[in-house]
Amino acid sequence: MVAEPRTNDEADRRVGTRFGAVRMVLLDIVGPLVVFQLARSVGIAEVWALVLSGLPPAIGVCVDWQRRRKIEVIGIVVLGGIALSLALAMLSDDPKVVLLEGAAVTAVLAIAQLVSIRMRRPLIFYFAQAFQGGRFSTAGMAMEAEYDEFVEARSFWRTAAIVWGIVGLAEAVARVFVIQLVSTSTALAINRIAPWLIFAGLIAWTYWAGTRARASGALDDDPQPARRDV
């Protein structure tokens, strides 16, 4: 098993994680809600207030770019969602249609997770790498080495992709129903808060399941080289 990095990269990762948590709360949750209310208070239509509420998350992606000079998978998803909400706003004056952007992105990602189990590395693996500092960080390279060396690691990440995919599809369906039943401001709050709560739950499960696999010794014995056709 590849040794866990115990250098300054570990401290840097902890700092980066704290920074990411603060940035998430301010720019991905609180920011959109504040911008929406401010836009509505000056008379901007709900549809375009929803589009403007995507500015704080976009700023977050720019901050990440400034810090790392690259955009991770999550940043691409955020920008894709903003672009989709803008397109929906141009096609419809119904705020509920624009709010479906979140459910649509979640559903696409969930399907991609399920499809990716047939790829050499499932999509959730790349998300986890981004969370650990990116592909070229010490932790990211250790993850790649572990994935290539241990068949149990490959099985674990494919199982994780299935779990994330199923939960994502259930979340997308639930959000579609909720959007039809509540006000625009409430739906926006749910769109901004609920996904992060579900994301945190999935992260916690993934960490728990991975830790349990290591504790059982599954990743310490009988390494098998990765097949190059998966």
Side-chain angles (χ1 to χ4, degrees):
M1 177 177 175
V2 176
E4 293 291 334
R6 300 187 184 278
T7 63
N8 288 336
D9 286 332
E10 196 169 303
D12 291 342
R13 198 176 344 131
R14 287 197 295 269
V15 172
T17 300
R18 287 194 291 268
F19 175 85
V22 173
R23 195 219 70 171
M24 178 197 74
V25 171
L26 294 180
L27 297 180
D28 295 330
I29 298 178
V30 176
L33 301 179
V34 171
V35 170
F36 176 80
Q37 293 299 336
L38 287 175
R40 291 294 293 142
S41 69
V42 297
I44 296 177
E46 281 189 334
V47 168
W48 293 106
L50 287 171
V51 173
L52 290 174
S53 72
L55 287 177
I59 292 173
V61 176
C62 292
V63 169
D64 288 341
W65 168 260
Q66 181 65 30
R67 291 176 63 231
R68 302 174 182 173
R69 293 299 176 184
K70 61 182 177 181
I71 300 179
E72 298 287 0
V73 176
I74 295 175
I76 295 173
V77 171
V78 170
L79 294 179
I82 294 171
L84 179 57
S85 67
L86 177 60
L88 291 173
M90 296 176 68
L91 293 172
S92 173
D93 290 329
D94 187 350
K96 293 188 181 297
V97 172
V98 177
L99 285 166
L100 290 175
E101 163 265 321
V105 171
T106 299
V108 169
L109 284 175
I111 294 171
Q113 293 281 12
L114 296 173
V115 171
S116 72
I117 63 175
R118 302 303 305 166
M119 297 168 58
R120 183 164 180 263
R121 292 187 178 93
L123 186 60
I124 182 58
F125 178 86
Y126 296 106
F127 276 106
Q129 261 191 337
F131 190 75
Q132 290 290 336
R135 179 179 180 183
F136 299 107
S137 68
T138 301
M141 289 187 289
M143 285 179 62
E144 291 211 359
E146 183 179 81
Y147 187 94
D148 288 340
E149 184 175 0
F150 296 100
V151 67
E152 292 84 1
R154 300 190 289 278
S155 176
F156 166 76
W157 285 112
R158 290 190 176 106
T159 299
I162 293 173
V163 171
W164 280 66
I166 292 173
V167 172
L169 286 176
E171 177 194 343
V173 172
R175 287 168 71 175
V176 169
F177 281 104
V178 169
I179 288 169
Q180 306 307 316
L181 298 175
V182 300
S183 66
T184 299
S185 59
T186 301
L188 176 62
I190 293 172
N191 263 4
R192 289 299 172 183
I193 297 172
W196 286 108
L197 294 177
I198 295 171
F199 180 75
L202 286 170
I203 287 288
W205 173 84
T206 305
Y207 178 81
W208 170 82
T211 300
R212 186 180 180 188
R214 285 190 172 86
S216 70
L219 301 184
D220 292 330
D221 303 304
D222 192 26
Q224 298 181 29
R227 290 171 51 198
R228 297 301 171 183
D229 59 344
V230 295

